[in-house]
Amino acid sequence: MKHRTIANTSVSAIGLGAMPLSIEHRPDEQRAIATIHAALDAGVTLIDTADSYHWHAGEAGHNEHLIARALARYGGDASHLLVATKGGRGRPGDGSWTVTATPAHLKRAAEASLKRLGVEAIGLYQLHKPDPAVPWAESVGALRELLDTGTIRAAGISNVTTGQIREAHAILGDGLVSEQNQYSPAARDSEPELRLSAQLGLAFLPWSPLGGISRSSLDGPSGPTTASTAFHRIAAEYGVSPHQIALAWLLSRSPAVIPVPGASRPASIQDSAKAAELELSESELTQLEATLPKSTTRD
């Protein structure tokens, strides 16, 4: 497995997005734990989670608990694993998502995540989404306090604009190490955020990185997917999955990019991990680029 960096921490170039293991249509616990173990066996050293990754009301932290149990049962070496979690969103149990990013809530949420993960400090804690009812500087200020108290070792932000990245960087300085927005072959509106992240030395962790190639875990079994694209054609030439081509394309966008594709089966993350070794030619990248929606020029 090739590696990239989040601040001074070396992590696998492909991470595991653990959300599908806990939300709607989730697998049973045996398969979920087998999926996490398969990721570790494949060389994955970054797992992305959140306290809001659950299905039903009253089970906040389901995904964090699951990861902690999986790690406790793992027989190999997981000492280099970085578990990145998030706070600031909730799920009432009716399928909806809420946003609460008051400083008091974020500090309570981080302490609860710390206990569920069973660690001395959270390796990477991310503010899940800006709260329109709370000044951005106040929410980010809570991350500053969590860094200062040692509850978290590093901070990240998610679902943000370039202006919010700059403001967070001014408040957190070197404590801000990552940014996470939706970015995929089908969703390229975050090109400006990707460019700025790279300029500031932040890792860019695209969520739903297989959009346009595979349906999101939130779409369910009947969700839409694209049957034939340039990604599929090039995949057939390599004899690999279109998912691998999409992840290799993402890795080619910038050294800052570290995709965290979701998986609910061991075979899925095993396949995704192989993308780290796949290098597309300039000709192939040109072919892919020609079929993609134009990226935005906003900043």
Side-chain angles (χ1 to χ4, degrees), residues 274-297:
K274 294 175 183 176
E277 307 303 322
L278 185 60
E279 293 190 17
L280 300 173
S281 69
E282 288 298 324
S283 173
E284 290 161 344
L285 291 172
T286 299
Q287 292 177 54
L288 295 173
E289 190 71 22
T291 67
L292 295 174
K294 298 298 182 183
S295 59
T296 180
T297 57

Side-chain angles (χ1 to χ4, degrees), residues 11-129:
V11 298
S12 54
I14 300 291
L16 169 65
M19 182 175 73
L21 300 175
S22 290
I23 63 165
E24 291 84 338
H25 316 292
R26 66 192 182 201
D28 60 37
E29 181 160 314
Q30 182 178 359
R31 195 175 92 186
I33 288 178
T35 300
I36 295 171
H37 288 177
L40 298 174
D41 289 342
V44 170
T45 61
L46 171 65
I47 297 180
D48 181 72
T49 182
D51 60 1
S52 58
Y53 289 170
H54 62 89
W55 185 350
H56 307 292
E59 58 173 20
H62 181 281
N63 202 240
E64 294 170 325
H65 277 305
L66 176 68
I67 291 167
R69 288 195 295 273
L71 294 179
R73 300 178 194 177
Y74 185 60
D77 180 13
S79 61
H80 299 296
L81 180 68
L82 174 63
V83 177
T85 192
K86 295 183 283 293
R89 303 209 72 177
R91 302 207 74 197
D94 59 1
S96 66
W97 296 75
T98 60
V99 181
T100 307
T102 62
H105 174 83
L106 290 172
K107 286 183 278 188
R108 285 195 304 269
E111 291 288 350
S113 292
L114 183 76
K115 292 178 181 177
R116 285 189 289 263
L117 292 170
V119 294
E120 294 181 358
I122 296 172
L124 173 56
Y125 192 70
Q126 304 159 97
L127 201 167
H128 207 154
K129 189 174 184 178

